[in-house]
Amino acid sequence: MTNPSTRRAVLATGAAALIAGCSNYGDENGGGGEEEASSVAPAESGTGSEAPAGEALTKTGDIPVDGGKIFKDEKVVVTQPEQGGFKAFSAVCTHMGCIVANVSDGTINCTCHGSKFRIADGSVAKGPAQKPLPAKQITVTGDSISLA
Ligand code: FES
């Protein structure tokens, strides 16, 4: 009677140790590096290259009128439904979470199961998705588009 529970406890502890070991290994790479590179950190933060918010995402000229462009890393799709009018939406399909694949013929298209979303407001043009793509805030400054 006590043996199975003891064995379970040992297994659970072993699994926890393994998980902890993995995360410790990762932390050693990141944390140790940060400590050793503390004198380098101010110079890196000065470049601002690690801050996605507020940083230019793209140029207005890169977004086709009546079309759009998908930024997979940022999980954002930026559209220009009319000249000079830019919109942004989550690029995560509301059906089952695929990243939308392309923008064509006035819709943002997910090729996982064929859902289409309108470039003007992210609303569903074709299922199986039921919910619109959530809007994202962007800022247009001159010819630069940034995530707000
Ligand atoms: Fe996009 Fe299914 S995940 S259509």
Side-chain angles (χ1 to χ4, degrees):
M1 292 280 267
T2 54
N3 278 348
S5 65
T6 304
R7 196 174 296 156
R8 221 173 272 140
V10 168
L11 285 173
T13 307
L18 282 175
I19 291 166
C22 287
S23 85
N24 281 346
Y25 180 76
D27 287 345
E28 279 174 22
N29 280 346
E34 278 176 11
E35 280 178 21
E36 287 178 18
S38 62
S39 62
V40 178
E44 283 181 2
S45 65
T47 63
S49 63
E50 293 176 2
E55 188 173 323
L57 182 67
T58 187
K59 300 279 186 194
T60 53
D62 290 340
I63 310 299
V65 178
D66 217 19
K69 188 172 177 185
I70 295 160
F71 299 89
K72 289 191 170 149
D73 287 349
E74 292 81 4
K75 297 188 171 94
V76 170
V77 53
V78 178
T79 64
Q80 189 177 187
E82 56 189 47
Q83 179 79 43
F86 295 93
K87 307 261 181 154
F89 306 96
S90 166
V92 179
C93 180
T94 57
H95 177 229
M96 290 185 71
C98 287
I99 299 295
V100 293
N102 58 66
V103 182
S104 66
D105 298 327
T107 58
I108 301 159
N109 310 310
C110 179
T111 52
C112 283
H113 311 96
S115 292
K116 294 175 182 275
F117 305 88
R118 295 180 184 92
I119 62 169
D121 59 7
S123 62
V124 176
K126 180 178 177 291
Q130 301 284 310
K131 295 181 185 167
L133 294 176
K136 292 275 190 181
Q137 292 294 313
I138 50 170
T139 304
V140 181
T141 307
D143 67 347
S144 177
I145 299 176
S146 313
L147 287 173

